Amino acid sequence: MLVETLTVALASLLAGFVDAIVGGGGLVLVPALFSVFPQAPPATLFGTNKAASVWGTAWASMQFARRVTLPWASLLPACGAALIGGFTGAWTVTLVSAEGLRKLLPIILLGVLIYTLVKKDLGRHHEPRHSGHAQTLRACAIGLLIGFYDGFFGPGTGSFFVFLFVRLLGFDFLHASASAKLLNTTTNGAALLLFAWKGHVWWHLALVMAVTNVIGSLLGTRLALKHGAGFVRGVFILVVGSLIIKTGWDAFGR
């Protein structure tokens, strides 16, 4: 059990590092959990993942909030919308199969990647397009939509948050990533409540993973703050490219 714990703890550290910069930590940690514990119930592995990753995203949110000016008046209502979306998505997946979305996801991600590559100045400069109620309404719409997606399916949630904050609100990648962490912490917390209520969390393992996830989050946040929007944009492109390969294989390669 020691080797298994060390393996997933290291995977959690790397996941926290990636997640803190631009989201997509689940791309690292979830496959690691399934590889190390192939006989475990999937719900338990997903719950354990959330029990670890929520601490990393929360820590990253606090670190970004100290160094990056965030529109709290818009983001706090958006967190409420994300929470509602997350619970609604989790409820919906009990009624409707996510198979169609599983096949559509790599195509959507490919569109996001191409758009980001073509628009070379996208997210390099922080120039919010809206303020006041207009910004709040759009932030809430993003929270509700991606919150629902996170509850219903999940892969790439952080990256979708980042992209929409850049594209729709005019944030640079650094401010978008900081905002995304706050909303992603909310959706992770909502999912964790559901998994914990159903008894689908290995708390002894989640505790170790949470510690390494926070360490990874600390390292990733410091790098993002040090190198700025251009660095975050580059990591975003790498993560989305990896997500396309992973979700494309899951949908069409097996």
Side-chain angles (χ1 to χ4, degrees), residues 66-174:
R66 292 175 181 175
R67 300 279 297 277
V68 177
T69 301
L70 296 176
W72 292 102
S74 296
L75 290 179
L76 292 179
C79 284
L83 189 65
I84 293 170
F87 277 118
T88 305
W91 174 75
T92 304
V93 80
T94 65
L95 306 175
V96 181
S97 172
E99 184 63 24
L101 182 58
R102 186 167 72 90
K103 294 186 178 299
L104 186 61
L105 181 59
I107 299 170
I108 296 172
L109 286 166
L110 182 60
V112 167
L113 180 60
I114 291 172
Y115 187 90
T116 304
L117 290 172
V118 170
K119 299 286 186 178
K120 296 188 181 300
D121 289 332
L122 183 72
R124 292 189 182 276
H125 306 288
H126 188 59
E127 299 171 343
R129 297 194 183 99
H130 311 282
S131 60
H133 293 306
Q135 186 179 72
T136 299
L137 286 173
R138 286 165 174 78
C140 286
I142 293 171
L144 187 66
L145 175 65
I146 305 303
F148 178 89
Y149 168 78
D150 193 26
F152 185 71
F153 195 59
T157 294
S159 298
F160 281 129
F161 271 134
V162 170
F163 178 77
L164 291 178
F165 272 110
V166 170
R167 177 64 184 84
L168 299 182
L169 298 184
F171 289 11
D172 66 9
F173 271 96
L174 181 62

